Amino acid sequence: MIELKFKDQVVIVTGSSSGIGKACALHFGSNGAHVVVNYSSNEEAGREVVEEIRSNGGSAILVRADVSEEEDVKALFAEAVNQFGRVDVLVSNAGLQQDAPFLEMTLAQWQKVIDINLTGQFLACREAAKQFIAQDQSVNRNAHSELAIGKIVLMSSVHDVIPWAGHVNYAASKGGVMMFMKSISQELAPYKIRVNSVSPGAIKTPINKEVWSDPDKYKSLLQLIPYKRIGTAQDVAKAVAWLASDDSDYVNGETLYIDGGMTLYPEFADNG
Ligand code: BGC
């Protein structure tokens, strides 16, 4: 009998109708969790994720929420609690890119990315922390142990340390995510809430399709990856699950790079 790592834990994954969020939702779903699948505009895609979890024998619901809207985020958590009674894990994943050269970047492009990627994580994490603290601890599986009562994993990016011309809104948002994550981790640890983030490199998802679907761009992308392959959303989902599990209970305020070595300055391998 295989042990289901997240049996009966309630896991909210923001932005889980596609890409890395979807892979996380499916992974938690096949590991026994009750999954709250969240989308903001593509309802059809969200419904497909829920169907896939259920057809694999898992449990999931679909909730629409724009993470940059305070009332939407509150309603997302209220619906999770209404359906499943509690929340154990938040994967604060929803994010996007709106690329433009710096000299041409509009305030709207800047603001949109900061709103979703940074303010959205603030709103989701704040709601999760409040819920973890307020809910009935006696029914928490970790109530009579030293283990965390709630876990948060934020979606950052290698661009929380790698500067990225042409994407300054995105890089600024992810740099912000790193210090936000570390600061709330420091603040929430005494409540036995663990907060960490993952920083994916080039992962084959819709967000960077323009790069991996073009043979020339794909070839030059591989030069930035010592491990010489593009990542999969499952590569990231497995690391997220580890950070959300009791196996990483003593890991707090850390950023785990899942990037095939992209942050190793690959251009220095035969240069410098
Ligand atoms: C971006 C991708 C990019 C990758 C590596 C990610 O955070 O969303 O578009 O391919 O970083 O540069």
Side-chain angles (χ1 to χ4, degrees):
M1 181 76 181
I2 308 167
E3 179 204 3
L4 290 176
K5 271 256 147 76
F6 292 92
K7 190 162 170 22
D8 293 333
Q9 291 195 47
V10 181
V11 180
I12 298 179
V13 186
T14 64
S16 43
S17 58
S18 75
I20 291 172
K22 174 179 176 178
C24 290
L26 295 174
H27 188 88
F28 282 105
S30 57
N31 278 280
H34 298 293
V35 185
V36 179
V37 175
N38 157 250
Y39 71 100
S40 71
S41 55
N42 194 343
E43 182 174 0
E44 183 56 32
R47 204 176 296 129
E48 280 170 24
V49 177
V50 168
E51 285 313 315
E52 193 170 336
I53 292 171
R54 288 181 184 160
S55 66
N56 290 334
S59 159
I61 58 166
L62 181 64
V63 184
R64 197 207 79 83
D66 173 341
V67 292
S68 68
E69 295 289 338
E70 188 169 26
E71 292 313 313
D72 281 18
V73 175
K74 286 187 173 165
L76 169 66
F77 277 78
E79 186 57 19
V81 173
N82 185 33
Q83 291 282 330
F84 296 128
R86 56 182 298 105
V87 179
D88 298 286
V89 173
L90 166 68
V91 182
S92 183
N93 164 75
L96 48 72
Q97 287 181 217
Q98 292 213 344
D99 310 327
F102 177 53
L103 297 177
E104 288 157 31
M105 187 171 282
T106 64
L107 177 59
Q109 286 170 322
W110 168 267
Q111 198 65 58
K112 179 78 182 170
V113 172
I114 298 295
D115 282 352
I116 303 288
N117 294 12
L118 187 55
T119 308
Q121 301 230 36
F122 158 70
L123 291 171
C125 292
R126 189 187 59 176
E127 221 47 41
K130 282 186 179 176
Q131 178 61 32
F132 293 154
I133 292 166
Q135 66 198 3
D136 180 2
Q137 304 303 339
S138 67
V139 296
N140 189 309
R141 24 188 294 293
N142 287 344
H144 303 293
S145 76
E146 293 266 275
L147 299 167
I149 60 154
K151 290 131 323 183
I152 299 175
V153 182
L154 290 83
M155 196 55 58
S156 189
S157 160
V158 289
H159 298 295
D160 58 15
V161 289
I162 301 179
W164 207 16
H167 312 258
V168 301
N169 47 1
Y170 185 83
S173 74
K174 296 300 188 179
V177 164
M178 184 198 287
M179 282 314 287
F180 169 69
M181 178 280 291
K182 287 180 186 285
S183 301
I184 62 169
S185 179
Q186 194 185 56
E187 194 162 341
L188 295 174
Y191 294 95
K192 306 291 289 180
I193 296 171
R194 290 193 304 114
V195 187
N196 293 285
S197 60
V198 295
S199 287
I203 308 297
K204 193 173 185 182
T205 68
I207 208 170
N208 52 6
K209 184 160 192 256
E210 187 219 322
V211 178
W212 53 258
S213 59
D214 174 320
D216 289 336
K217 288 184 182 171
Y218 183 63
K219 212 171 146 216
S220 45
L221 175 66
L222 286 186
Q223 285 173 4
L224 299 177
I225 310 170
Y227 205 50
K228 295 297 171 216
R229 75 166 171 87
I230 193 166
T232 65
Q234 291 73 25
D235 287 325
V236 181
K238 284 183 261 184
V240 167
W242 179 71
L243 283 174
S245 79
D246 293 337
D247 289 344
S248 62
D249 194 66
Y250 208 50
V251 181
N252 291 265
E254 279 301 325
T255 303
L256 180 56
Y257 291 86
I258 306 158
D259 66 351
M262 189 176 244
T263 39
L264 297 173
Y265 297 97
E267 57 276 33
F268 276 77
D270 55 7
N271 211 341

